[in-house]
Amino acid sequence: MADSVNRPALRAVIADDQALVRTGFGMILAADGIEVTAEVADGAEAVAAVRRTRPDVVLMDIRMPQMDGIEATRRILADGEPDSTRVIILTTYDLDHYVYAALTVGASGFLLKDVTPEHLVTAVRLVQSGDALLAPAITRRLIERFAHREEDRPATLHRDLSGLTPRELEVLRLLATGLSNAELADRLFLSPTTIKTHIGRILSKLDLRDRVQAVVLAYETGLISPGGGGS
């Protein structure tokens, strides 16, 4: 790759019980200069490989023997610092309810297994840079399908939101409705840079990896409800 000298080194682990998927994804990543530090067939092996090789990104299948991808994701992210290894969930079906469960434990997004080589590489690099691999609107649709709050739990703000300023709460509420940074800026009459600063502070105060987790938290805390708007 002509521009590889300008790219930061990037390392990945591939966890999937299908050898063809592991081999194919590994070849695609290697061709773009991404080092595959391990290819494993189950969740327990994935956890061990991450602890051993400390990759930047894990491509994690959900349905695997021994330990599924959700539990493996939980353990991997519990081990690391907020800005360490990130997990991309691999799934066969769009909006699989397992994907929602994976997002709630900290995954940074998901990919369908029939992803194109170009999209796969772009996704791995995007997540490694700190961005979320899921448009907020898709996240909202996912949550509205699968997030079910208990009937007896009041829709009150979680204590973790108490440290946010009124403006930050407003930004988070609108973010959860699926607005992009540019749309947030237009709605609130702020510059895109200011919006980015607000989102960064929200993520920092709430100890979240990315905006996907912020959207999930907005629903789970009752800041916004499934089917509700952010106005």
Side-chain angles (χ1 to χ4, degrees), residues 8-214:
L10 199 159
R11 306 164 80 239
V13 163
I14 301 171
D16 196 291
D17 62 352
Q18 299 180 46
L20 189 60
V21 172
R22 297 195 304 271
T23 301
F25 280 15
M27 292 175 63
I28 291 168
L29 297 182
D32 199 71
I34 298 171
E35 178 187 357
V36 178
T37 62
E39 295 179 12
V40 298
D42 66 60
E45 291 180 356
V47 174
V50 169
R51 289 172 177 170
R52 184 177 68 252
T53 69
R54 299 297 178 185
D56 301 292
V57 178
V58 181
L59 293 172
M60 180 77 75
D61 188 22
I62 290 181
R63 298 180 181 90
M64 293 184 292
Q66 307 302 321
M67 181 188 296
D68 65 28
I70 297 172
E71 179 60 23
T73 296
R74 188 196 321 275
R75 295 190 186 191
I76 287 168
L77 298 180
D79 280 348
E81 298 298 322
D83 293 325
S84 57
T85 301
R86 295 175 184 271
V87 177
I88 298 173
I89 295 299
L90 301 175
T91 182
T92 306
Y93 305 103
D94 190 13
L95 297 187
D96 189 312
H97 72 278
Y98 290 111
V99 175
Y100 169 73
L103 294 179
T104 63
V105 300
S108 293
F110 74 90
L111 287 173
L112 298 180
K113 289 189 180 182
D114 61 359
V115 62
T116 64
E118 294 78 11
H119 190 187
L120 175 65
V121 169
T122 298
V124 170
R125 293 195 178 280
L126 179 71
V127 167
Q128 188 271 337
S129 71
D131 288 329
L133 181 63
L134 202 58
I138 298 176
T139 311
R140 182 183 64 170
R141 184 158 52 101
L142 184 68
I143 293 169
E144 289 187 345
R145 178 177 293 190
F146 298 116
H148 302 293
R149 295 209 315 270
E150 296 88 346
E151 293 295 329
D152 59 350
R153 189 175 83 182
T156 55
L157 297 187
H158 190 276
R159 61 181 177 81
D160 286 350
L161 300 185
S162 63
L164 300 184
T165 66
R167 175 63 89 182
E168 288 165 351
L169 281 171
E170 184 177 22
V171 169
L172 178 57
R173 183 180 294 109
L174 292 174
L175 176 66
T177 69
L179 297 185
S180 67
N181 283 10
E183 291 168 334
L184 285 168
D186 288 342
R187 176 73 67 88
L188 297 175
F189 303 102
L190 299 171
S191 72
T193 299
T194 300
I195 290 295
K196 187 174 181 180
T197 297
H198 280 309
I199 293 176
R201 288 173 178 166
I202 290 168
L203 299 182
S204 177
K205 287 182 178 182
L206 300 179
D207 194 25
L208 302 174
R209 284 181 171 79
D210 52 46
R211 62 193 295 152
V212 171
Q213 286 191 294

